[in-house]
Amino acid sequence: LDNVGANTAKLSFKLMEFAQANINNNIELANEYISVRSIPDALEVQTSYFKRQFDLFVAQVGVLQTLTTEIANENTMLSQVR
């Protein structure tokens, strides 16, 4: 049971890190919009944001996949020991 709590905490902390990274990306977008002087500039800022957000999403999915696989493997090994 302690293992379940520890794994839940690991997953929760990782999800909080993801949320913080997404918030930081949104703040960066807002800061970039402040300097926009034309529609083409706005489109460039928006395009850059979408690329950053997609790259961040892909990286986060990879980390989440690795973490959940580790947790599943750990739980499988523990259940076989019992």
Side-chain angles (χ1 to χ4, degrees):
L1 196 55
D2 290 337
N3 188 44
V4 172
N7 287 334
T8 301
K10 270 195 258 186
L11 192 56
S12 294
F13 286 128
K14 190 55 67 178
L15 292 173
M16 284 188 274
E17 286 177 21
F18 292 169
Q20 184 63 51
N22 291 329
I23 289 168
N24 291 343
N25 196 30
N26 289 331
I27 290 170
E28 188 176 339
L29 172 65
N31 287 332
E32 289 173 354
Y33 267 134
I34 291 171
S35 65
V36 167
R37 300 286 180 232
S38 66
I39 291 176
D41 287 348
L43 292 174
E44 179 66 33
V45 165
Q46 192 66 40
T47 301
S48 175
Y49 165 77
F50 282 135
K51 182 182 179 332
R52 281 193 320 268
Q53 192 63 36
F54 181 77
D55 292 344
L56 185 59
F57 172 74
V58 169
Q60 290 171 344
V61 166
V63 169
L64 190 58
Q65 181 181 16
T66 300
L67 181 60
T68 55
T69 300
E70 289 172 5
I71 290 170
N73 289 340
E74 187 178 315
N75 289 338
T76 301
M77 287 189 304
L78 286 175
S79 67
Q80 290 174 350
V81 170
R82 292 180 189 172

